[in-house]
Amino acid sequence: MNGNTTIARGLSTRKAFIDSSLQAEFEENGYVLIPGVLHKDSIAALSDVYDRFSPSVTAGFHVTNWIKDPAYSAASHEKIAFLLAPKLKGILNNYRPVLGCFAVKEKGRDNTMGLHQDWSLTDESAFCGISAWVPLIDVAADSGALQMLRGSHRLFRNIRGQKISNQLDRLSAGTLHQYLTSVPMKAGDMLLLHHRIVHCSGPAMHRRIAAMMAMIPEEGAPEALCGRQRRYDR
């Protein structure tokens, strides 16, 4: 796929994946599924980090970096990055972890997560941010799997963050839901998703913990962008 085609699709020209077939799949869909990345011992280690350090919360769905506890945030990030980052060295093209955390659905509460995009973490006219999402239990459409609006990373090219108006807010969630693709996964599988892709997750009957790690290219880090004019696709 040449650079001109990539620009026409609203994507950066920098390749995120080392393997060209994974890159093509990522450009087309906005996500790639890599099976069997973590084994039982690593899954157990991540579950232990969550169980030992996580403060109690009342929300049905929560992401642990929302909790204002620097010690816990640091412990979560360190363990998740330690286990996931080496697995990605042969898959991604020189990416570095920015934030590791857990996304949790608690049993017996309203634990749905509505349609959203991940926040912008780099200059997306030149680079793309990617999140790794790894469930610690098997997930399906009715048990907390992610549901993806395939190709939406090429449509919604806005800047995203706290208190920033989003194109998605002006659309009907009910209309979009009919186009979603559920992604069933086994515990330890890894989903790599573009930060711009629209996604959500339905209710889970049991506690569902997923490890997440947000990543950006080394040369797309904020300190590397200092002094460079920062452009964003609108």
Side-chain angles (χ1 to χ4, degrees), residues 55 57 63-73 162:
V57 293
V63 180
T64 54
N65 67 306
W66 298 349
I67 300 169
K68 296 180 180 179
D69 184 340
Y72 172 68
S73 296
Q162 190 174 25

Side-chain angles (χ1 to χ4, degrees), residues 5-234:
T5 302
T6 304
I7 293 172
R9 289 182 160 194
L11 300 175
S12 70
T13 56
R14 185 198 189 277
K15 301 304 181 185
F17 288 80
I18 295 171
D19 183 90
S20 59
S21 62
L22 291 180
Q23 178 68 30
E25 183 180 350
F26 184 72
E27 291 182 3
E28 180 68 22
N29 295 328
Y31 63 91
V32 170
L33 177 62
I34 311 291
V37 173
L38 292 186
H39 300 298
K40 289 182 178 179
D41 55 344
S42 297
I43 293 170
L46 287 173
S47 297
D48 182 63
V49 170
Y50 179 77
D51 290 336
R52 282 194 296 123
F53 294 105
S54 180
S56 61
V57 293
T58 58
F61 175 84
H62 61 97
V63 180
T64 54
N65 67 306
W66 298 349
I67 300 169
K68 296 180 180 179
D69 184 340
Y72 172 68
S73 296
S76 299
H77 172 79
E78 181 178 355
K79 190 65 174 181
I80 291 170
F82 175 77
L83 289 173
L84 297 189
K87 303 289 187 180
L88 292 165
K89 286 191 177 296
I91 298 173
L92 294 180
N93 179 21
N94 200 26
Y95 270 68
R96 69 179 235 189
V98 175
L99 173 67
C101 59
F102 295 100
V104 183
K105 292 178 179 289
E106 297 291 354
K107 178 182 177 181
R109 307 175 200 174
D110 179 8
N111 55 27
T112 59
M113 179 58 182
L115 289 169
H116 66 284
Q117 297 169 286
D118 292 341
W119 285 7
S120 308
L121 296 178
T122 188
D123 178 353
E124 292 180 344
S125 66
F127 312 102
C128 72
I130 294 177
S131 282
W133 192 89
V134 181
L136 305 188
I137 63 169
D138 295 354
V139 294
D142 60 351
S143 56
L146 292 188
Q147 299 175 40
M148 318 296 288
L149 187 60
R150 293 171 58 185
S152 56
H153 62 302
R154 292 183 268 116
L155 303 175
F156 298 90
R157 292 182 279 152
N158 47 303
I159 301 172
R160 294 138 352 252
Q162 190 174 25
K163 298 181 180 180
I164 298 177
S165 178
N166 194 317
Q167 292 172 291
L168 196 59
D169 299 334
R170 299 192 293 270
L171 299 176
S172 166
T175 299
L176 294 178
H177 268 282
Q178 64 183 305
Y179 300 108
L180 295 176
T181 299
S182 182
V183 185
M185 299 172 66
K186 296 291 187 182
D189 290 351
M190 179 183 287
L191 193 67
L192 296 170
L193 55 148
H194 196 297
H195 283 171
R196 286 203 308 236
I197 193 168
V198 176
H199 59 288
C200 66
S201 61
M205 298 298 293
H206 304 282
R207 173 189 270 186
R208 188 225 66 190
I209 303 172
M212 298 194 305
M213 188 172 72
M215 299 167 289
I216 58 175
E218 286 285 357
E219 70 273 30
E223 58 269 24
L225 294 173
C226 290
R228 173 183 173 189
Q229 183 180 3
R230 303 176 73 172
R231 301 178 294 110
Y232 291 90
D233 294 327
R234 293 286 183 170

